[in-house]
Amino acid sequence: MKMPNLMESKKRGQSKVEIIRDDFVLDDSLKKIGKDKKYYIKTYGCQMNLRDSESFKALLEEMSYTATDNYEDADILLLNTCAIRENVHNKVFGMLGRIKHLKGKKPNIIVGLAGCMSQEEVVVEKILKKYKWMDFVIGTHNMHRLPQVIDEAIKKRGLEVEVWSKEGDIIENVPVKRDSKYKAWVNIMYGCDKFCTYCIVPYTRGKQRSRMPEDIIKEVKELVSDGYKEVTLLGQNVNAYGKDFANLKYNMSNLLEDVSKTGIERIRFVTSHPWDFTDDMIEVIKQNKNIMPYFHLPIQSGSDKVLKLMGRRYNRQSYLELFNKIKKAIRNATITTDIIVGFPNETEEDFKETLDIVDECKFDGAYTFIYSPRAGTPAAKMQDNLSLMEKEERLQRLNALVNKYSRLSNEKLLNQTVPVLIEGYSEKGNDTLMGYTDTFKLVNVVGDKKHIGKIVNVEITDVKSWSLNGRVVDAD
Ligand code: 5AD
Ligand code: SF4
């Protein structure tokens, strides 16, 4: 049994990160475990988790499991979890309640927990006390060991916990089964060293480790030759890419330039921290048409006092300078953001400064959250005098404003023709297609199935706060 330890995961040592490039081979004894059995994966949280689940799927399929969308049909159930806010914990434990019921009827099913919640001591302790009927818990740093952990759990017939508190090496070549044939997530770095005071990520994902440029470029080139149209470069703080290289001077703007040269039609990147965003990056994005004019630039708060308490390293003014620089340099740039309301002791004045900066920036979209204390983070120790009711009321006021600007931003596209990568059918039904514009706006599109997988011109015929409707024009 290997338990998580928050104090350990907080430490940042000088230990060298090895890059393991061996071919991924699974022991023959593990390859048959899933024969005639089905797997079900539920993914919570960010794009990083979606990408990890694509590797979990590949690993389970290497073990001969096949996929099912219905958890009640599955022989193995894996919850790939997120730790960023308490409400995700509640959803995960709610799901585990339903699965417990299922296990009562089908005692042979295997149930596992993966992702960021596995890295939290409080979660694993709760599982050991109240969820002993589960089969395994696997951490984020050893996720490639899923087959071995499942094997252990089956042999042991009891709860197997394998969570490494310290980040390990970078393992290249872990298999992946991508969800889409047209757009792909590409990890460029793991972990985060920013330690914003409210955030659990530097503990659950470990210290920043950048993948080598040649490995990233190789992956993107393979995607191009497999017919992929779009890549999203992934990291918790992509602008800090390369800062951890000991002997290599190579940063995010170099990487963007080299990925652009692969000829992939669309490049996106998330998430950016305003602190590390350089002028060189803006210049490279401006010069290269295959880098999309879309920026997710979390501001978190409009109050300098709160930003300081959050440990964000920029203030209102420097954020605005960056924001305006991007808008000026890049025609049709869209900028979205993340905002937290109700950080400990946020006053009405502080909150008004947030509303005020939203008024000033008129964000094209924003993800808004009520602050959620995370055990072990510095902010969780700050005394908080705000009631949940006040926080909810602030969130509502903020959302009304955010929706107004999101809609205004969409309205500018009415009757315009914009490029959309058609990804497949929309949830709307009626053979409606869906895809995203270069500026990352979701569009429901009237078109033909032959357009799926292509970037086509779409005329916008109707707008909503969070999506657009359109129809394909002048495509083959
Ligand atoms: N409480 C609420 N929101 C949080 N986020 C990160 N940590 C917390 C927390 N403890 C939000 C931030 C971040 C986004 C991914 O989640 O806005 O940018
Ligand atoms: Fe968390 Fe992002 Fe701050 Fe890193 S930069 S600590 S992931 S909010």
Side-chain angles (χ1 to χ4, degrees):
M1 179 143 339
K2 253 195 158 123
M3 290 284 292
N5 177 323
L6 216 63
M7 289 319 284
E8 271 300 305
S9 50
K10 191 170 158 183
K11 287 186 196 149
R12 291 295 186 264
Q14 291 305 315
S15 61
K16 194 166 175 296
V17 173
E18 296 294 335
I19 298 168
I20 315 284
R21 294 202 179 82
D22 302 342
D23 281 343
F24 193 89
V25 263
L26 211 58
D27 206 71
D28 275 347
S29 64
L30 301 171
K31 282 190 184 156
K32 297 279 176 310
I33 291 180
K35 196 165 172 305
D36 301 325
K37 297 198 166 103
K38 296 198 182 114
Y39 74 85
Y40 170 87
I41 299 184
K42 188 159 178 67
T43 310
Y44 301 83
C46 67
Q47 291 96 336
M48 201 78 65
N49 268 15
L50 289 171
R51 173 61 188 77
D52 285 352
S53 284
E54 291 182 336
S55 280
F56 286 139
K57 286 175 193 169
L59 288 168
L60 289 165
E61 294 192 11
E62 296 242 341
M63 296 172 76
S64 305
Y65 287 102
T66 53
T68 173
D69 288 338
N70 180 359
Y71 80 96
E72 293 182 336
D73 281 347
D75 300 284
I76 183 160
L77 296 95
L78 182 63
L79 305 187
N80 187 12
T81 61
C82 166
I84 208 137
R85 282 173 293 274
E86 195 61 29
N87 56 0
V88 190
H89 279 56
N90 299 340
K91 280 189 202 154
V92 169
F93 283 113
M95 183 70 191
L96 282 174
R98 288 195 288 284
I99 295 174
K100 183 182 179 193
H101 187 67
L102 185 66
K103 196 154 166 129
K105 290 190 277 181
K106 293 168 72 181
N108 289 333
I109 59 172
I110 306 278
V111 181
L113 190 90
C116 288
M117 274 173 68
S118 304
Q119 295 291 138
E120 290 183 279
E121 272 165 66
V122 280
V123 169
V124 178
E125 276 158 14
K126 180 165 169 178
I127 286 177
L128 285 171
K129 261 199 220 125
K130 296 197 184 146
Y131 294 78
K132 277 203 209 96
W133 54 268
M134 286 181 67
D135 298 276
F136 69 93
V137 178
I138 185 169
T140 57
H141 302 310
N142 56 326
M143 54 165 289
H144 57 284
R145 285 186 38 80
L146 181 69
Q148 289 82 357
V149 173
I150 292 174
D151 187 40
E152 267 310 304
I154 293 174
K155 285 185 186 144
K156 189 170 162 185
R157 294 181 161 271
L159 178 57
E160 169 70 5
V161 177
E162 190 183 297
V163 180
W164 302 352
S165 293
K166 285 233 83 58
E167 60 286 340
D169 304 322
I170 292 183
I171 320 259
E172 295 291 341
N173 301 330
V174 178
V176 52
K177 183 172 186 259
R178 299 193 190 269
D179 291 336
S180 163
K181 285 193 284 198
Y182 316 114
K183 64 172 196 179
W185 312 112
V186 175
N187 285 317
I188 63 167
M189 62 199 296
Y190 304 99
C192 178
D193 287 342
K194 281 283 177 289
F195 286 101
C196 302
T197 57
Y198 52 80
C199 185
I200 192 83
V201 169
Y203 309 80
T204 60
R205 291 276 174 175
K207 81 169 176 187
Q208 173 172 329
R209 289 149 290 146
S210 300
R211 281 179 77 200
M212 293 305 285
E214 60 265 33
D215 292 320
I216 299 169
I217 302 300
K218 182 167 157 254
E219 184 174 341
V220 177
K221 281 187 177 157
E222 283 167 8
L223 289 164
V224 173
S225 60
D226 288 346
Y228 278 83
K229 297 283 192 289
E230 180 176 306
V231 291
T232 302
L233 308 179
L234 285 185
Q236 298 299 345
N237 173 17
V238 289
N239 312 349
Y241 173 79
K243 287 193 170 183
D244 50 310
F245 290 143
N247 302 312
L248 181 66
K249 256 183 100 70
Y250 190 93
N251 60 27
M252 185 60 179
S253 62
N254 304 127
L255 181 70
L256 281 171
E257 203 160 12
D258 285 343
V259 174
S260 169
K261 285 187 198 137
T262 63
I264 187 93
E265 290 188 50
R266 287 180 156 194
I267 301 160
R268 303 188 187 281
F269 54 95
V270 280
T271 277
S272 299
H273 187 299
W275 168 258
D276 293 306
F277 214 109
T278 63
D279 289 356
D280 285 350
M281 276 178 65
I282 299 178
E283 196 49 38
V284 170
I285 296 164
K286 185 174 157 186
Q287 298 299 335
N288 293 284
K289 293 292 157 264
N290 57 351
I291 308 178
M292 296 299 99
Y294 167 70
F295 301 81
H296 185 61
L297 206 58
I299 184 166
Q300 314 297 4
S301 167
S303 146
D304 283 348
K305 182 196 97 187
V306 174
L307 285 172
K308 198 155 189 201
L309 287 170
M310 288 177 164
R312 289 292 286 180
R313 308 177 191 209
Y314 55 84
N315 58 26
R316 205 185 151 82
Q317 197 198 333
S318 58
Y319 183 93
L320 281 172
E321 276 165 18
L322 175 64
F323 182 96
N324 291 327
K325 211 169 0 178
I326 294 172
K327 282 273 180 185
K328 194 162 161 227
I330 295 163
R331 199 188 57 83
N332 79 333
T334 56
I335 303 183
T336 57
T337 200
D338 290 341
I339 301 170
I340 298 175
V341 301
F343 190 78
N345 299 318
E346 177 192 72
T347 62
E348 178 62 22
E349 272 58 50
D350 297 323
F351 176 64
K352 284 210 176 111
E353 290 194 68
T354 297
L355 294 178
D356 185 61
I357 206 153
V358 171
D359 268 327
E360 186 153 354
C361 295
K362 303 180 175 48
F363 290 108
D364 296 282
Y367 301 92
T368 56
F369 313 101
I370 290 182
Y371 166 71
S372 170
R374 310 315 300 138
T377 60
K381 294 186 198 88
M382 296 178 193
Q383 205 204 330
D384 186 7
N385 298 320
L386 267 173
S387 70
L388 183 61
M389 231 171 70
E390 283 170 295
K391 292 181 187 191
E392 280 170 349
E393 190 257 340
R394 282 183 193 168
L395 185 70
Q396 274 176 21
R397 281 156 71 198
L398 177 63
N399 283 347
L401 198 62
V402 159
N403 289 348
K404 174 177 122 182
Y405 288 118
S406 171
R407 197 185 168 92
L408 272 179
S409 156
N410 286 349
E411 277 170 2
K412 285 190 211 139
L413 291 182
L414 191 61
N415 303 324
Q416 304 277 321
T417 298
V418 286
V420 175
L421 168 57
I422 305 290
E423 293 180 16
Y425 288 102
S426 146
E427 285 170 2
K428 301 247 172 264
N430 300 334
D431 292 340
T432 309
L433 305 172
M434 58 74 65
Y436 286 87
T437 64
D438 50 348
T439 53
F440 202 53
K441 286 180 188 282
L442 172 64
V443 197
N444 294 303
V445 183
V446 177
D448 188 282
K449 72 168 189 279
K450 71 179 180 199
H451 298 129
I452 294 174
K454 300 207 170 87
I455 298 172
V456 293
N457 284 327
V458 169
E459 186 191 40
I460 302 303
T461 51
D462 191 16
V463 303
K464 313 221 154 34
S465 289
W466 288 92
S467 67
L468 308 164
N469 293 339
R471 63 180 180 91
V472 175
V473 289
D474 67 46
D476 315 331

